[in-house]
Amino acid sequence: MEKCALQGVEFKKGETGSLCFAVREISEDLKIEIRSRLSEICNGAAKASRNTTLYSYQRTLSAFFQKFDTKSSDTQKGMIGELLTHVLLLHYESDFRSASTFFNLEEDSIKKGFDLVLHHDTTGQIWFVEVKAGDCGGKTSIQKLGDLLSLAKNGLKTALNSKRFTLWQNAVHGATVVIQDRSLKEQIENLLEGYNEKALEGESTSTDYNAALVAVSYLGNQEFATPEEFDRRHNAQKEMNEFHDLISIAFQKDTFQSVVEFLRGEIKDV
């Protein structure tokens, strides 16, 4: 199911699983969407729905910048890329729901493990997401998007082939605190714990899992890549058959600073 378009955001979906977003401006539509989703993204839907100020928009903004401002520029670009993924992917592809939080549950940082874990309401399948972001520099946007897709693929393959217990347990823990519906929570926990068991037994391989590779290109003065160009990059990755199924997602924005400036401007002096 697709929702209505947001002003300032161009979106096109390819026939074989490519999704191309061009964020032309931080429009009022996009601002409203970020405001409405930020607490849920960072803290999880279960906490965001509680009648407490602990997970309010203002407290979440403050917590976000406590983590964001201590990070390197490269990590900050990745954080904004992941935030855009949460906001825009789940708006336009609303059959997906997040089964993970943006914030680390225990440390004063962003979470460790898979960048996102998604549940598809129609199919019941789990999708694992890897986000890579960076400036174009001297490259065209499509060249940068291609490079980032390859980095995301390699990173996710390594994770999915890993025996690392904490990686999979973080995914289980995320679903536990995020999902509100008890039946769905148990369903997702059982799936993830089954994957965890396979990993510990050395039987986990990337071809068993659905993957969503996200490439976030900050253009500077470069031109936006076309959806058709990105679709060709996606098909090249898909033909390698390194995952059970594959979605490739492109986000293009002039700079990440414009998103940061909007968020920082939302903080009220209290």
Side-chain angles (χ1 to χ4, degrees):
M1 181 187 301
E2 294 182 12
K3 288 190 177 179
C4 61
L6 299 174
Q7 184 179 352
V9 178
E10 298 171 4
F11 170 66
K12 186 169 182 180
K13 185 175 182 178
E15 293 182 359
T16 61
S18 68
L19 290 80
C20 191
F21 293 86
V23 183
R24 299 282 182 175
E25 61 172 321
I26 308 297
S27 65
E28 192 59 34
D29 283 354
L30 183 52
K31 290 176 182 178
I32 291 170
E33 191 71 11
I34 292 172
R35 290 176 187 132
S36 68
R37 287 186 179 269
L38 188 69
S39 181
E40 178 181 328
I41 289 167
C42 293
N43 304 301
K47 286 183 177 179
S49 66
R50 293 177 189 169
N51 185 25
T52 172
T53 61
L54 291 174
Y55 313 112
S56 68
Y57 181 57
Q58 285 298 316
R59 284 188 182 273
T60 303
L61 279 171
S62 178
F64 175 85
F65 279 107
Q66 285 176 10
K67 304 168 195 298
F68 183 86
D69 288 338
T70 63
K71 301 297 185 292
S72 68
S73 177
D74 284 345
T75 300
Q76 289 178 346
K77 291 168 188 173
M79 290 177 69
I80 296 301
E82 189 174 331
L83 181 63
L84 289 173
T85 304
H86 273 280
V87 172
L88 294 176
L89 176 62
L90 299 182
H91 175 83
Y92 281 89
E93 295 291 301
S94 56
D95 279 347
F96 283 112
R97 74 169 68 202
S98 177
S100 59
T101 61
F102 187 55
F103 286 171
N104 190 338
L105 299 172
E106 297 177 354
E107 300 176 15
D108 188 22
S109 65
I110 55 175
K111 67 171 180 54
K112 298 176 181 178
F114 299 108
D115 288 336
L116 285 83
V117 178
L118 300 175
H119 175 264
H120 195 277
D121 286 343
T122 301
T123 65
Q125 293 182 330
I126 296 291
W127 289 75
F128 296 95
V129 184
E130 181 81 4
V131 180
K132 294 297 182 185
D135 295 331
C136 283
K139 295 185 176 181
T140 65
S141 185
I142 192 58
Q143 288 172 336
K144 187 65 178 181
L145 289 170
D147 291 347
L148 293 168
L149 275 186
S150 294
L151 287 173
K153 177 193 71 176
N154 293 335
L156 189 56
K157 275 187 65 180
T158 298
L160 292 172
N161 292 332
S162 172
K163 295 182 181 180
R164 187 156 58 93
F165 181 73
T166 54
L167 174 76
W168 294 95
Q169 277 299 293
N170 280 342
V172 175
H173 195 184
T176 299
V177 301
V178 168
I179 304 299
Q180 295 172 277
D181 181 89
R182 284 190 176 184
S183 176
L184 180 59
K185 185 197 298 279
E186 184 176 352
Q187 174 190 340
I188 294 174
E189 287 172 342
N190 287 340
L191 280 171
L192 291 171
E193 286 171 345
Y195 297 157
N196 196 168
E197 289 173 356
K198 285 181 62 177
L200 290 176
E201 293 165 2
E203 298 176 357
S204 183
T205 177
S206 64
T207 53
D208 293 335
Y209 304 106
N210 298 316
L213 307 179
V214 181
V216 185
S217 171
Y218 301 114
L219 304 174
N221 295 321
Q222 298 288 351
E223 295 293 324
F224 283 79
T226 67
E228 292 74 22
E229 288 176 312
F230 185 69
D231 193 53
R232 288 193 288 272
R233 296 291 178 130
H234 161 70
N235 286 326
Q237 292 288 351
K238 192 175 180 71
E239 288 168 2
M240 295 179 187
N241 295 315
E242 295 179 278
F243 303 98
H244 181 262
D245 201 358
L246 177 67
I247 295 172
S248 300
I249 305 166
F251 291 96
Q252 299 178 87
K253 181 79 181 71
D254 53 355
T255 67
F256 79 101
Q257 286 94 341
S258 57
V259 182
V260 176
E261 289 168 4
F262 159 67
L263 291 172
R264 209 179 290 278
E266 291 284 281
I267 298 175
K268 296 178 181 177
D269 294 327
V270 293

